[in-house]
Amino acid sequence: AGLIDLDLNQQQKVLSAYGYASSQPDYGTFLVAGRPKAGQSLDEVRDMLLSEVAKLRNGDFDESLIEATINNYKMQMMRSFEENESRAMLYVYSFINGADWADEVQQLDRMSKITKQDVVDWANKYLGPESYAIVYKREGKDPNEQKIAAPKITPIVTNRDSQSEFLTEIQNSKVEPIEPVFVDYKKDMSQFEAQPGIDVLYKKNETNDIFTLIYVFNTGTENDPALNLAFDYLSYLGTDKMSAEQIASEMYAIACSFGLSAGTNQSWIEISGLSENMGKAMEIVEGLIAGAQPNRRIKARIRIFFMGFVLFFHACRMSKIRKKSHKSAAGFVNFAFGVQFVQHLVQDTVYEDRAFGRGVVLGQFDVFVQGNLGGNAGERHEFRDRHFHQDHVHQSDAFGIPV
């Protein structure tokens, strides 16, 4: 829920966008990147990314984002230090970068003293309007591509026959075999009832200050096949008190996150983040679950997205069936691999589908599935009429998905 996420990703202005800093021993880089939507140019994405960078120079951001960023960085460090590899690599990078170890361990304390003016000054010094290099990744063959001859590699003289005293000590040390430890839920975890009928299993995190809370429901997609679709839909919604953007910003500010998923017979809601903010995170997520406000446009986009996959896999399946029957599968194969998601840049309009008496919504960035079925016209129309509602506004082989 930083500037790029709130202004570009959540508002679906680009397919995806991100930014990060990379520190090296001699120099560092601040990189921002994005992927365009269908019909969007790379220059448009570039301009939107640069406008977000300009906000840093102009101070056009909420100072609370600094504290939120530090909280999330703190959580990321704690998560990484759960692994021995990450702990060891901190020593390695400190050595490679020539950094004082005291500075490394006090990094979070120093970051907590950064002010908004510090960020603005730094951005104006290093992130000027023209202080960048740009790389475009385009589709197709580059006519100006040049081959670079492989340089000669200087052989490295190795000392494989010698070893340090430290290595010798490690090799000669005796290691006791590791004994497996099995969880005893009655001894290793506390059990109690939050309220009658709702059991809780609890284990204190002795490693760091990160919590994970999982709500488990004994219902899944066998009970309701639409659960996963509903969970995806819910993640884009707000409540009567908080918009979706406000929920994302607040969860980012307290360095917490949540996710929803459905299995065959069980569903889960998982909340994770800094332990000190567990109560606040529970309040936000439970408020969303209980009071989510519907949004027809978002629902339409998600349904169309899912229908696109259904369309693709169904066409692949049909092509296999036709191959097994030794009939021409060319039409279905062409269709399966020719499926396109076409974005119609039109205003919200509901067109009447006279054949089925339903409305077909065309939102500004709503997606319609379009493809070439191949084969003869009779096969195309039979396949279309059996599985999709024809959109009378577009060409005969374009299908509108009712919402």
Side-chain angles (χ1 to χ4, degrees):
L3 294 177
I4 290 178
D5 194 36
L6 288 174
D7 298 341
L8 302 184
N9 289 328
Q10 289 193 22
Q11 297 186 33
Q12 300 178 345
K13 291 183 178 180
V14 293
L15 188 61
S16 66
Y18 58 91
Y20 65 91
S22 176
S23 298
Q24 307 298 332
D26 298 319
Y27 295 95
T29 56
F30 179 71
L31 184 146
V32 291
R35 298 176 62 192
K37 299 186 296 185
Q40 191 175 48
S41 70
L42 293 176
D43 288 338
E44 289 178 283
V45 177
R46 175 204 62 195
D47 292 342
M48 285 188 280
L49 290 171
L50 291 178
S51 68
E52 296 304 310
V53 176
K55 291 179 180 179
L56 296 179
R57 295 195 302 269
N58 301 329
D60 187 14
F61 60 91
D62 193 325
E63 190 165 8
S64 64
L65 272 178
I66 298 175
E67 181 180 358
T69 302
I70 295 171
N71 283 338
N72 280 269
Y73 186 68
K74 175 182 176 181
M75 187 185 67
Q76 290 172 12
M77 288 186 66
M78 286 193 290
R79 283 198 186 280
S80 67
F81 291 158
E82 292 176 354
E83 305 292 335
N84 287 330
E85 180 181 358
S86 297
R87 300 176 188 177
M89 289 309 297
L90 184 62
Y91 289 107
V92 173
Y93 286 128
S94 177
F95 172 77
I96 292 175
N97 295 328
D100 191 310
W101 182 246
D103 291 337
E104 293 287 347
V105 297
Q106 295 174 3
Q107 184 182 36
L108 287 174
D109 292 334
R110 290 185 290 109
M111 290 176 67
S112 65
K113 299 176 183 178
I114 295 176
T115 66
K116 181 176 182 177
Q117 189 58 48
D118 291 332
V119 174
V120 171
D121 293 342
W122 180 86
N124 278 280
K125 182 177 181 180
Y126 295 105
L127 307 180
E130 304 297 332
S131 304
Y132 66 89
I134 190 166
V135 177
Y136 290 118
K137 184 177 180 181
R138 304 185 187 277
E139 296 180 345
K141 181 71 175 177
D142 183 3
N144 300 316
E145 179 181 358
Q146 299 181 8
K147 298 292 184 180
I148 301 176
K152 294 182 178 180
I153 299 177
T154 305
I156 299 176
V157 179
T158 60
N159 54 349
R160 296 177 181 175
D161 298 330
S162 61
Q163 61 185 39
S164 66
E165 294 181 4
F166 179 65
L167 176 58
T168 302
E169 180 184 349
I170 297 240
Q171 289 178 333
N172 294 334
S173 63
K174 294 183 179 180
V175 180
E176 296 293 334
I178 298 176
E179 295 294 332
V181 177
F182 300 98
V183 176
D184 186 333
Y185 283 90
K186 293 182 179 179
K187 295 180 179 179
D188 299 329
M189 300 191 74
S190 302
Q191 301 184 40
F192 59 92
E193 281 190 334
Q195 52 182 277
I198 300 180
D199 298 320
V200 177
L201 290 177
Y202 169 74
K203 175 64 177 176
K204 183 179 180 181
N205 184 353
E206 304 286 356
T207 304
N208 51 40
D209 294 326
I210 295 177
F211 81 94
T212 299
L213 173 66
I214 303 175
Y215 303 76
V216 182
F217 301 89
N218 291 322
T219 185
T221 53
E222 280 193 352
N223 305 95
D224 189 343
L227 271 177
N228 276 317
L229 178 62
F231 285 166
D232 281 341
Y233 177 43
L234 187 65
S235 64
Y236 289 95
L237 302 181
T239 67
D240 58 344
K241 297 179 180 178
M242 300 179 70
S243 66
E245 291 79 11
Q246 289 173 325
I247 290 175
S249 296
E250 188 63 28
M251 292 294 284
Y252 181 77
I254 61 178
C256 292
S257 60
F258 72 97
L260 307 95
S261 59
T264 305
N265 298 302
Q266 284 188 326
S267 299
W268 305 270
I269 300 173
E270 180 174 325
I271 310 174
S272 182
L274 293 180
S275 296
E276 62 198 72
N277 297 323
M278 176 177 167
K280 180 65 175 176
M282 290 175 63
E283 180 183 340
I284 294 173
V285 175
E286 290 180 359
L288 174 62
I289 301 298
Q293 299 295 301
N295 185 306
R296 186 180 181 188
R297 166 171 287 207
I298 292 174
K299 181 181 177 182
R301 291 175 181 171
I302 292 176
R303 286 189 62 184
I304 292 171
F305 178 79
F306 270 80
M307 285 298 295
F309 280 103
V310 172
L311 170 66
F312 179 82
F313 288 116
H314 184 78
C316 289
R317 178 175 175 271
M318 290 298 295
S319 69
K320 292 179 180 179
I321 293 174
R322 294 190 39 107
K323 283 181 179 178
K324 288 180 180 179
S325 63
H326 304 289
K327 294 181 180 179
S328 172
F332 289 99
V333 172
N334 288 341
F335 179 72
F337 293 98
V339 171
Q340 302 175 12
F341 291 112
V342 183
Q343 291 177 318
H344 296 270
L345 305 181
V346 297
Q347 299 301 317
D348 281 350
T349 310
V350 177
Y351 293 93
E352 180 186 0
D353 188 331
R354 297 180 183 86
F356 296 90
R358 298 184 182 181
V360 179
V361 176
L362 296 180
Q364 187 172 0
F365 294 106
D366 284 346
V367 182
F368 268 65
V369 181
Q370 179 174 295
N372 179 14
L373 279 171
N376 59 52
E379 281 184 323
R380 293 200 304 268
H381 295 163
E382 179 186 357
F383 185 88
R384 179 196 64 207
D385 294 338
R386 185 182 305 129
H387 300 287
F388 303 97
H389 300 302
Q390 180 179 357
D391 176 349
H392 297 281
V393 177
H394 298 280
Q395 60 181 340
S396 61
D397 288 332
F399 311 109
I401 300 175
V403 294

